[in-house]
Amino acid sequence: MPIADLIKQNPNGLVARALAFAEKAHRGQTRKSGGPYFNHPLATAETLASWHMDDATIAAGLLHDTIEDTGTPIEAIKKEFGDEVAFLVNGVTKLGHFKYRGEKARKHDAKDQAENLRRMVIALSEDLRVVFIKLADRLHNMATLAALPPAKQKRIALETDEIYAPLAYRLGMYNLSGELQDLAFPFLYPKEYAWLITNTKEQYETRLAYLETVKPDVERVLREHDITPLKIEVRAKRYSSLYKKLLRRNMEMGRIYDMVALRVIVATIPECYATLGVIHETWPPAPRRIKDYIAMPKPNGYRSLHTTVIGPEDKTIEIQIRTKEMHDEDQYGVAAHWLYKEKGGSKISGKKLAEELTWVQQLRTWQDHFSGQTTDAAEMLQAMKVDFFQHRIFAVSPRGDVVDLPAESTPVDFAYHVHTEIGDTCTGAKVNGALVPLDHKLKSGDVVQILTQKGKKPSEDWLRFAKTAIARDHIRTALRSKNRFPQKERGPARAELKIAVEDRVGLIKDISATIARNHANILSFHSDNPKGNRYPFDKVEIQTTERAKIEKLIVKLKAIPGVKEVSYHLI
Ligand code: MN
């Protein structure tokens, strides 16, 4: 809902008061692109409203530059708008100005960058809403980038392309990620951009015009079959991703089918399939180009039906079919959870959302770990980018847990991301049912089963191919302790929990998170499914023998959906 409507609905609400406050605070200031400065926080807040953010976030979007640019004290914001809004505004201010210079950064710059990334990580794990505000802020800054001097344009565009666009992507905000890349593209690759415009403009426009003529046909045949589409839109491929695709296909424009596509949004999943049927009945589908991402979502959660048909005048048309919910998830990513969870009655907080995103937690753990060491800042930045901001693959455990890893990761990386103990005791791996060497490079969608043996230790050789900093770090730690205590096996008193479970996605994660929250160290984790047992079970060794603590933990474990029974004994 646009800000103006929000204010009409609630003239004395948070948003209305924040708007008046920010307007007054920025009065007299102008932007480099001309016009009153207040246009910028207003545009930021409009974007947040279009992502269905809550009022506190929208208000903080309006106020996000008041501390830094108007000298308003944080106490004034707290007094006027309360702790929540003040926390968000303060969080965005603390993220500060990211002086990003990319790979070519000099050493002392690298230190600043690492510090900035560190702040971003903390913001991410504390309250994702701070990051949403920062992304909305960046979106408007990119849209008005032309007004800045060229050197600054390049730096901001690079930072957007290398940090903010991947960050948006990792939050599932694919549309925003693409938009940020598209806005950065002309500043980073001016020659390529000019080439693309010259060589594709006509084809683009012809295709767009063609699809506009097909649109009413699609609507008509659907209505004839009693399907009322909520929306049919023509979607043009972004220049930045078109360019990447062309590079992969030797610049052959003719082979890009989906340069422009039709998108049909309907109410329900059965209607998605009915729509596909009607379309195939009307226009013949191109063979092997039907993709059912509803039955088999992409590992990143993307859902839609895709098909390519031979339309009127024998021209190919790519069509995507999805429900409103799928569409919103694709557009807004994790922000869509607000929308749908809120409808269900329980409002989800930014902090809760951050907890749900395991990779945010991984990032936080990883970063805490590194900040305690005297690691070279440039090296840390590089490692962080390799681990979290580069191309990702999504591998799957036999139970269906998705493990998100950088490209070229190996089974050893997979094992350590599931659990340290599984990594340490890994002896081999099966990928899609076949045994593979441990340096095998995983691909998205691979089902990875790790073979373990109790008491096994990592081999020094693993450092040759392990890709992630998490795995490399654990291997080094394990090697160190192996060398320090060559004979001694682990000593601490421990207990074994036996947990009967009903298999479901995410269960291992929930169990280990519950144990960790109760401050019990996990020493080992094994899943077993012996014949004759009603349920498979997980055996977890934890490092404590305090019965009271264990019994308290058991109560918590039993509350996890899918956990059927828990017993324990001391070892
Ligand atoms: Mn700003």
Side-chain angles (χ1 to χ4, degrees):
M1 197 187 290
I3 303 273
D5 294 351
L6 284 173
I7 291 176
K8 223 178 274 164
Q9 243 178 30
N10 192 355
N12 295 314
L14 215 45
V15 176
R17 287 188 287 123
L19 182 121
F21 188 99
E23 203 273 325
K24 196 173 158 210
H26 288 293
R27 199 170 289 162
Q29 294 179 327
T30 50
R31 288 208 99 204
K32 290 236 168 59
S33 51
Y37 190 92
F38 179 65
N39 289 351
H40 166 66
L42 183 60
T44 304
E46 288 288 5
T47 300
L48 290 165
S50 78
W51 294 344
H52 308 281
M53 291 286 142
D54 57 12
D55 284 2
T57 311
I58 297 170
L62 286 162
L63 298 164
H64 83 270
D65 277 333
T66 53
I67 296 185
E68 195 147 17
D69 293 343
T70 74
T72 305
I74 184 71
E75 290 74 27
I77 307 243
K78 201 177 266 179
K79 195 165 153 249
E80 201 71 36
F81 303 100
D83 287 346
E84 189 183 8
V85 173
F87 170 82
L88 295 172
V89 173
N90 203 30
V92 179
T93 308
K94 275 198 307 202
L95 280 180
H97 296 294
F98 221 18
K99 286 256 159 49
Y100 188 72
R101 286 180 184 84
E103 294 306 333
K104 289 184 203 94
R106 289 181 315 236
K107 275 268 158 95
H108 71 269
D109 288 334
K111 204 162 191 167
D112 285 350
Q113 288 174 34
E115 172 58 21
N116 277 321
L117 272 176
R118 196 184 67 78
R119 285 192 218 153
M120 180 77 84
V121 168
I122 290 169
L124 267 172
S125 55
E126 277 178 0
D127 195 325
L128 275 180
R129 292 178 299 175
V130 170
V131 179
F132 292 144
I133 299 168
K134 192 70 198 168
L135 286 169
D137 170 50
R138 177 51 56 111
L139 182 64
H140 186 247
N141 284 338
M142 285 305 293
T144 51
L145 195 59
L148 296 185
K152 225 172 168 184
Q153 284 175 350
K154 219 161 185 132
R155 177 177 69 69
I156 294 174
L158 191 64
E159 179 184 291
T160 302
D161 199 53
E162 293 196 343
I163 300 287
Y164 288 98
L167 183 63
Y169 190 88
R170 302 284 289 112
L171 291 170
M173 303 168 92
Y174 306 118
N175 196 49
L176 173 66
S177 174
E179 205 166 331
L180 288 171
Q181 278 178 329
D182 235 28
L183 288 165
F185 184 64
F187 296 99
L188 296 178
Y189 308 99
K191 282 194 199 117
E192 289 82 351
Y193 180 71
W195 179 90
L196 208 55
I197 294 286
T198 324
N199 288 278
T200 63
K201 200 166 189 243
E202 216 190 301
Q203 212 175 336
Y204 242 144
E205 280 167 4
T206 323
R207 289 287 298 166
L208 279 174
Y210 170 69
L211 286 189
E212 286 297 341
T213 65
V214 175
K215 222 165 99 173
D217 291 343
V218 175
E219 171 137 22
R220 182 178 45 78
V221 294
L222 290 180
R223 283 186 191 280
E224 279 168 15
H225 289 80
D226 294 325
I227 301 167
T228 312
L230 299 177
K231 199 174 176 186
I232 300 177
E233 57 183 25
V234 177
R235 158 199 166 272
K237 197 156 196 77
R238 299 181 180 287
Y239 274 112
S240 53
S241 62
L242 178 61
Y243 186 73
K244 279 177 203 147
K245 202 155 186 175
L246 281 169
L247 281 179
R248 286 203 299 274
R249 298 190 179 182
N250 304 318
M251 299 317 231
E252 277 176 64
M253 198 66 70
R255 293 175 60 196
I256 307 280
Y257 299 104
D258 57 350
M259 195 163 77
V260 183
L262 263 191
R263 188 178 278 158
V264 182
I265 298 162
V266 291
T268 64
I269 290 175
E271 276 192 354
C272 288
Y273 289 103
T275 300
L276 186 73
V278 170
I279 284 171
H280 285 171
E281 218 177 277
T282 316
W283 297 289
R288 285 190 303 278
R289 295 193 56 87
I290 305 165
K291 292 186 188 115
D292 184 349
Y293 295 122
I294 293 178
M296 291 279 288
K298 284 192 187 179
N300 63 19
Y302 175 85
R303 291 180 301 158
S304 275
L305 300 174
H306 288 192
T307 185
T308 303
V309 299
I310 314 297
E313 302 163 44
D314 283 345
K315 288 181 179 161
T316 53
I317 316 172
E318 192 191 88
I319 301 180
Q320 304 172 351
I321 305 159
R322 51 173 74 162
T323 63
K324 177 86 171 60
E325 182 171 350
M326 294 172 197
H327 184 62
D328 285 344
E329 268 173 24
D330 186 43
Q331 298 284 299
Y332 314 128
V334 293
H337 287 258
W338 253 280
L339 190 59
Y340 290 98
K341 297 226 171 163
E342 219 173 329
K343 269 189 194 158
S346 69
K347 201 162 138 176
I348 182 162
S349 72
K351 185 164 172 64
K352 179 83 188 54
L353 204 52
E355 276 168 10
E356 281 189 0
L357 289 173
T358 39
W359 70 268
V360 170
Q361 292 314 308
Q362 279 173 12
L363 188 55
R364 180 71 191 261
T365 316
W366 186 87
Q367 120 80 28
D368 284 349
H369 181 84
F370 267 76
S371 60
Q373 299 180 356
T374 49
T375 314
D376 180 73
E379 191 189 306
M380 168 170 160
L381 184 73
Q382 188 50 37
M384 197 139 174
K385 278 167 63 182
V386 170
D387 269 17
F388 290 98
F389 292 116
Q390 265 191 359
H391 300 292
R392 309 293 300 183
I393 59 155
F394 298 86
V396 188
S397 77
R399 275 189 185 178
D401 288 303
V402 174
V403 179
D404 166 0
L405 295 164
E408 306 215 312
S409 287
T410 64
V412 168
D413 295 294
F414 181 92
Y416 275 108
H417 278 255
V418 174
H419 197 274
T420 311
E421 180 70 17
I422 293 181
D424 282 346
T425 59
C426 167
T427 55
K430 280 184 178 176
V431 170
N432 306 321
L435 273 171
V436 294
L438 284 178
D439 63 356
H440 177 88
K441 299 216 184 326
L442 298 174
K443 291 191 305 293
S444 261
D446 277 347
V447 178
V448 185
Q449 185 187 354
I450 299 296
L451 311 172
T452 57
Q453 197 185 317
K454 233 180 179 171
K456 262 296 216 198
K457 292 281 177 216
S459 139
E460 185 138 23
D461 187 48
W462 293 2
L463 289 170
R464 195 172 48 77
F465 53 77
K467 175 92 181 164
T468 55
I470 288 179
R472 302 180 64 80
D473 199 54
H474 283 310
I475 296 166
R476 284 198 203 98
T477 309
L479 287 173
R480 271 202 299 275
S481 68
K482 187 163 124 184
N483 296 339
R484 213 176 298 147
F485 310 104
Q487 305 302 334
K488 213 169 140 196
E489 271 303 301
R490 74 164 87 83
R494 55 199 206 271
E496 184 181 83
L497 298 167
K498 191 173 160 188
I499 309 169
V501 294
E502 208 167 42
D503 255 356
R504 74 165 168 86
V505 172
L507 187 63
I508 293 189
K509 193 189 81 194
D510 290 349
I511 291 176
S512 38
T514 303
I515 296 175
R517 265 202 302 276
N518 285 274
H519 307 289
N521 266 343
I522 300 177
L523 297 169
S524 76
F525 203 121
H526 295 275
S527 295
D528 211 344
N529 194 359
K531 276 206 178 86
N533 270 41
R534 180 135 175 245
Y535 294 109
F537 55 83
D538 293 326
K539 275 186 175 171
V540 190
E541 272 181 38
I542 54 170
Q543 188 183 336
T544 182
T545 48
E546 280 174 59
R547 285 181 186 273
K549 190 170 169 183
I550 298 170
E551 272 150 23
K552 228 167 112 187
L553 173 62
I554 288 177
V555 173
K556 298 255 171 67
L557 287 170
K558 280 184 174 163
I560 299 173
V563 169
K564 291 292 161 194
E565 220 179 279
V566 187
S567 60
Y568 79 100
H569 67 272
L570 303 180
I571 302 174

